Amino acid sequence: MERTLVLLKPDALQRGLIGRIITRFEEKGLKIIGLKMMKMPPALAKEHYAHLTSKPFYPGLEQFMTHNPIVAMCVEGVEAVEATRSIVGATNARKAGAGTIRGDFSMSTSRNVIHASDSLETAKKEVARFFREGELFAYPSVLNGYFYAEDELE
Ligand code: UDP
Ligand code: MG
């Protein structure tokens, strides 16, 4: 099982999309094991987007991500990192595939409604950055045997 970090960005909240986006994760079978609303402090934005701080769009990105609350989510599943990136879609939402979250809900690269960790290594760091251990819940999922066959869970 992998865990990955998802952030519903301020545009998702303003546009009233958080319920529909969370539903997509539930329907897919990605298990939500952590969920909270928060206002991202600028220092956390700098850490989270450390690979982008030298880019010309960074000041706007930090302003946008910190100006209103976000919803942070930790989701769990077999190959959850890749599965999540694939339902999120391409960074430039105009090019994101139909049926993906960005493809269906956004027309922008900077107002693209959602963040998802890009690798297992990043996911481990990002989950720890946004959630304390006590904020993540390892509850049993009674439907596990319907979302996965046994050999997929080994
Ligand atoms: N971003 C932006 N303009 C750009 C590229 C990226 O505003 O030209 C923002 C956008 O919010 C994007 C985030 O920076 O989601 C992180 O960029 P990354 O390349 O990591 O894309 P992602 O992993 O979110 O698809
Ligand atoms: Mg990224």
Side-chain angles (χ1 to χ4, degrees):
M1 285 282 169
E2 294 178 3
R3 292 175 171 186
T4 190
L5 180 80
V6 171
L7 302 176
L8 309 184
K9 297 182 179 183
D11 48 342
L13 274 76
Q14 286 293 326
R15 293 175 54 198
L17 294 174
I18 56 174
R20 287 158 77 188
I21 295 173
I22 290 171
T23 295
R24 293 204 172 197
F25 285 87
E26 293 180 317
E27 289 173 339
K28 174 73 172 167
L30 283 158
K31 185 175 160 191
I32 298 164
I33 62 161
L35 183 69
K36 65 177 172 186
M37 186 179 288
M38 62 183 288
K39 200 144 180 248
M40 202 192 240
L44 185 62
K46 285 186 181 77
E47 192 187 327
H48 183 65
Y49 288 122
H51 57 300
L52 299 174
T53 45
S54 60
K55 303 275 185 195
F57 60 80
Y58 182 76
L61 173 60
E62 180 182 311
Q63 202 283 331
F64 180 67
M65 290 300 293
T66 59
H67 87 291
N68 260 336
I70 60 166
V71 169
M73 210 160 61
C74 178
V75 303
E76 188 179 78
V78 175
E79 294 169 11
V81 176
E82 195 184 340
T84 296
R85 288 289 288 192
S86 100
I87 67 167
V88 162
T91 309
N92 178 349
R94 292 186 294 280
K95 294 185 170 37
T100 67
I101 293 165
R102 285 169 170 168
D104 289 354
F105 293 129
S106 168
M107 277 292 284
S108 170
T109 298
S110 58
R111 305 289 184 264
N112 57 7
V113 301
I114 186 166
H115 164 86
S117 309
D118 63 8
S119 69
L120 186 54
E121 202 191 338
T122 315
K124 285 179 182 158
K125 287 186 201 148
E126 292 188 345
V127 169
R129 184 175 297 144
F130 283 84
F131 289 94
R132 289 188 296 271
E133 205 42 56
E135 294 175 323
L136 297 173
F137 299 89
Y139 60 96
S141 166
V142 292
L143 289 176
N144 237 13
Y146 291 91
F147 278 116
Y148 300 105
E150 246 163 58
D151 61 322
E152 294 172 299
L153 292 167
E154 277 160 12

